[in-house]
Every structure is written in structure tokens, then in C-alpha cells.
Amino acid sequence: MQIGIDKIGFYTSNLYVDMAELAQARNEEVGKYLVGIGQSKMAVIPPSQDIVTLAANAAARILSPIDKEAIDLVIVATESGIDNSKAAAVYVANLLGLSHQIRAVEMKEACYAATAALQLAKGHIALNPNKKALIIGADIARYGLKTKGEPTQGGGAVAMLVAKDPQILALDAEASYYSKDIMDFWRPLGHSEAMVDGKFSTNVYLDFFNQVFSAYSQKTKRTVEDFGALLFHLPYTKQGLKGLRQAVAHADEATQARLLAQFEFAREYNRNVGNLYTGSLYLSLLSLLENSQDLVAGQRLGLYSYGSGAQAEFFSGILQPGFQDALIGHQELLAHRKQVSVAEYEQFYQSVLANEANRQLEVSADPGQFVLAGVKDFKRQYQRQE
Ligand code: HMG
């Protein structure tokens, strides 16, 4: 039985800041942000969206009533959790109108956790082949205004429906993983912004790629030549490009050209959204699937998942016949966003809901189906809009 990604959907806010404008405001060369970091636009998440609404908005785009009936496992992977106890998945399942006969939990290991969730879902479907699992990576990346990490912020959610006989990508049995206690990026309790040893983190990301890719190659005897495309966790798109260049350094010229060409499609959406932590690798997958014209069913895709702290995994899957028909297209969602000035972005950034007991939020300008309307006695108030 084949198990894998049957549907995939993405959601981010309707607001973005232009990276050239941000570079100018920070007295940096525009080329540093656009080329050196590899980002063109950065999603700006207003207070009326949090990881619960982003996750629900992403999932609502792909789920049919039949899917909703079959789902009995919901995992929200996030490092931007809104509660130390209650799982975001419980809120999300309620907003989506899912059955009560489900397992709903939240998972954490920096940007990696959605991959663990995907692999757990695969095991769950193997035991329960007539069921479906909903896996969502949802995050808001925050480093602080005027920090080195600022141009690598962003936010959004990617929802994946995992099922038998998947329409899009059947996951291979083999995967390799690597974990080591490292302080490259972390967010202590009570802090709303990440702490990061930036340069160190970029090197660990590349070291861990070597670890997991060589273990995967040893296990499967596959080399980079065997892949239709290689996908990377994209904290910013230049980091993935560095990973890819390292991966293909000893490959033949045709393979290098092919994989580098596919990477341009795979970074298109991420370049215009920024880092969404747990969802970034899967947004890159979606970007490749929806933008590349050169993919054919039967090709193998390789995926590199990395989460600071640190945990990495390399795994793969086979593109399924007719996979294009299962894609819903996200170009419009991104094209119809509104640009905000750097001053407006800073205002949104600073007005995010903190540890407050009561506050009402303005939601009339937010086009999301699900919005956060405020907090009452420390209880978040979610709303569905028509
Ligand atoms: P920085 O020190 O400001 O940047 O911070 P830089 O000086 O290293 O410049 C960046 C690049 O721009 C360099 O290229 C420059 O040469 C180039 P590189 O050497 O890297 O190839 N550059 C230019 N290019 C063209 N035209 C110009 C120009 N000027 C300079 N005019 C840093 C960069 C990434 C360190 C910072 O933004 C940061 O700390 N970001 C957050 C950490 C991060 O994203 N790390 C990535 C790996 S860890 C990871 O992926 C996990 C993560 O997603 C978290 C999780 O798991 O939860 C972060």
C-alpha cells in the first residue's frame, strides 16, 4: 500500500513588506536582502492571525466533506504555540468542524516537527488504511525589529492530507535522521522572539545535510542523479541554494543544471513569504509542484528537513500520476496581497497579542475565513467570517 500526501494547501496573511524597502530602511544594500538572503517579499502577520487561524485557513482550502469525515488524526506542528498546555490542533479541529472521534495533538522541534508529524501520520494510515490524517505546519517567524535575523522573518501555514493511494506524493519507506543537542537557535519560555547564533546555525544546517544525505545514500544506494528535484527547508532561499550547491558539487553537469533549474521553481513562493519555520520545506514542495512545468509522474523528489536545536531528516517520495489535478494553485493568494510600508509593518509587529487577559482585535480588514477576534479572560476568541 502506498501512503503519502494526498492534498496540500497553504495560507498566509494578505499583507507583505517589500524587501528592497526594508533593506533601505535598515541601511543595508538592497542586493544583500534580494540576492544575498534571497528574499523579495516578507509576509506581515497582523494580530488578527495566529498559528491557529493560519492553520485552519490553510486546511479549509483543501478539505472536502468526505475528507473531514475520514480524518481521525490532527497534528499541528509549531514553535509559535499559543498555549503551554492546550494543543493548537484541538482549536483547529473545532474550527474545521471535524469529528470528535479524533486524536488532536501539537508537536515541537523547531522547523522540523511537521516532518515527524508526516512520518507519524504515515504509520497511522498503515494501521488504519481507511482513515486520513491532517498534518499542519504553522508558524510566525520573529527575530525582532532591526536584528540580523529580521530579513528572514515571515509566517504562514501548510496543511497536508495524508492518505493511502495519495494523489500527489507517495512517501518512500527509507528515511535517515540525525539529532544532536546544539544551541544554534532557541526561544526560552516567555520570549516572543527567537535567540539565534546566526552564522553558526547556517553551518550546522549544512553539516546536518551531509549527515542525513550520506546515511540515506548508504541505505538506498541512491545518488543525487536519482532525483527529479531536491527540496530544502528554506529559512531564507539562499540557505537552500547553499545546501543544493553542496549536494550537487560532485554530480555531472546535466544533473547540476536540472536540479538548480528546479530549485528556482521550488523557492518562488518562499522568496515571497519568508520563513514559516515548520511549513517552509512544504511550501517549497508546493512551489515546485505549482510552478515547474518539467515534473513528470514517477520522478523521485528528495526532501531535506532541518530544525534548529537540532534535528534533521532526509526522505523521499514518488510523484503520482495526475498529481497536477490535485493542486489548487496558490499564485492568486500571493498576487492579491497588499503591500504595507516599513512603518506599518513595524506597527503590526509590535501590536501582536502578548500575554494579555482581555483585548478586542480589529478583524474587519482581515479577509481570512478564520480570524482571531481577541482574548477574554485569557481565552482566545476565534471567529469564522463568511
Ligand atoms: P548577516 O550577518 O546580516 O548577513 O545575517 P551576511 O553579512 O552573512 O550576508 C548574507 C549574505 O548576503 C552573504 O552571502 C553576503 O555575502 C551577501 P553568503 O556569504 O551567505 O553567501 N551579501 C550580498 N549579496 C549580494 N549583494 C550584496 C550583498 N551584501 C551581502 N550587496 C543571517 C545573515 C542568515 C546569519 C541572519 O539573517 C540570521 O541570523 N538569520 C536567522 C537564522 C537562520 O535563518 N539560519 C538558517 C539556518 S538555521 C535554520 O534553518 C532553522 C531556522 O529556520 C529555525 C528553526 O529551525 O526553527 C532558522
Side-chain angles (χ1 to χ4, degrees):
M1 180 176 53
Q2 310 247 54
I3 301 171
I5 301 171
D6 189 53
K7 293 184 177 180
I8 178 165
F10 163 66
Y11 189 78
T12 187
S13 84
N14 66 322
L15 307 173
Y16 74 89
V17 67
D18 181 81
M19 292 300 280
E21 282 192 10
L22 185 62
Q24 277 156 356
R26 299 297 181 247
N27 292 319
E28 293 281 7
E29 288 172 21
V30 169
K32 175 172 171 181
Y33 284 13
L34 298 190
V35 182
I37 297 287
Q39 294 299 131
S40 302
K41 293 176 182 170
M42 186 169 86
V44 172
I45 310 295
S48 52
Q49 290 290 320
D50 67 6
I51 55 132
V52 167
T53 57
L54 291 169
N57 283 316
R61 296 169 71 83
I62 56 166
L63 299 182
S64 69
I66 293 174
D67 295 330
K68 288 187 183 181
E69 255 179 57
I71 290 171
D72 72 343
L73 173 65
V74 182
I75 307 178
V76 174
T78 187
E79 54 178 302
S80 323
I82 50 134
D83 195 289
N84 285 324
S85 174
K86 181 167 172 170
V90 175
Y91 291 104
V92 171
N94 178 48
L95 291 175
L96 294 172
L98 300 184
S99 156
H100 294 293
Q101 273 77 50
I102 59 170
R103 287 185 178 133
V105 290
E106 185 170 311
M107 285 186 66
K108 177 173 69 183
E109 172 24 46
C111 300
Y112 166 77
T115 300
L118 188 62
Q119 298 289 16
L120 283 176
K122 190 174 126 201
H124 178 76
I125 300 303
L127 292 171
N128 304 276
N130 295 323
K131 294 294 181 185
K132 296 184 181 186
L134 177 62
I135 303 306
I136 309 174
D139 272 301
I140 300 169
R142 289 171 63 89
Y143 291 92
L145 301 176
K146 301 177 185 163
T147 60
K148 294 252 183 205
E150 183 183 34
T152 68
Q153 295 178 154
V158 176
M160 293 175 280
L161 190 66
V162 179
K164 73 170 177 192
D165 304 329
Q167 299 180 84
I168 298 176
L169 191 74
L171 296 172
D172 286 324
E174 307 91 352
S176 59
Y177 13 86
Y178 188 77
S179 177
K180 196 170 171 188
D181 184 359
I182 279 172
M183 295 305 282
D184 62 331
F185 168 108
W186 65 106
R187 185 162 69 85
L189 293 177
H191 289 244
S192 64
E193 283 145 359
M195 295 182 172
V196 62
D197 190 341
K199 291 273 156 59
F200 177 53
S201 74
T202 65
N203 292 331
V204 178
Y205 172 112
L206 296 174
D207 287 350
F208 273 47
F209 175 79
N210 276 345
Q211 290 286 349
V212 290
F213 189 73
S214 61
Y216 175 92
S217 287
Q218 247 175 357
K219 232 184 244 187
T220 61
K221 309 292 173 235
R222 292 178 197 132
T223 65
V224 288
E225 278 82 5
D226 295 312
F227 294 95
L230 286 180
L231 294 154
F232 289 80
H233 164 54
L234 295 180
Y236 52 96
T237 73
K238 174 73 168 292
Q239 179 73 52
L241 183 60
K242 285 186 186 180
L244 180 59
R245 284 183 178 147
Q246 181 177 294
V248 299
H250 303 293
D252 59 67
E253 259 179 52
T255 301
Q256 291 196 2
R258 178 168 52 79
L259 294 178
L260 283 161
Q262 293 291 32
F263 180 76
E264 291 307 318
F265 296 115
R267 72 160 150 174
E268 180 58 27
Y269 288 169
N270 303 67
R271 171 186 273 292
N272 288 295
V273 176
N275 198 354
L276 49 147
Y277 291 157
T278 45
S280 293
L281 169 63
Y282 300 99
L283 180 61
S284 180
L285 167 64
L286 189 59
S287 183
L288 175 78
L289 295 174
E290 292 189 349
N291 292 309
S292 172
Q293 301 302 314
D294 306 327
L295 294 171
V296 284
Q299 276 182 320
R300 175 167 276 116
L301 306 184
L303 296 94
Y304 173 56
S305 181
Y306 176 78
S308 285
Q311 171 72 49
E313 177 159 342
F314 189 88
F315 65 105
S316 54
I318 302 285
L319 273 176
Q320 295 302 289
F323 69 90
Q324 297 92 340
D325 301 336
L327 301 169
I328 59 171
H330 291 76
Q331 290 90 351
E332 256 185 57
L333 175 86
L334 291 174
H336 288 147
R337 292 178 299 167
K338 181 178 155 222
Q339 183 177 344
V340 296
S341 66
V342 172
E344 287 169 311
Y345 143 67
E346 291 178 351
Q347 217 170 358
F348 278 121
Y349 187 91
Q350 283 162 331
S351 58
V352 72
L353 199 60
N355 193 20
E356 298 152 74
N358 293 291
R359 186 166 136 202
Q360 202 165 346
L361 293 167
E362 178 53 51
V363 296
S364 60
D366 190 326
Q369 187 179 351
F370 299 104
V371 291
L372 173 62
V375 61
K376 234 188 232 170
D377 300 329
F378 288 107
K379 295 173 194 159
R380 288 195 178 219
Q381 307 294 306
Y382 294 109
Q383 247 176 40
R384 186 196 174 110
Q385 308 191 118
E386 289 319 315

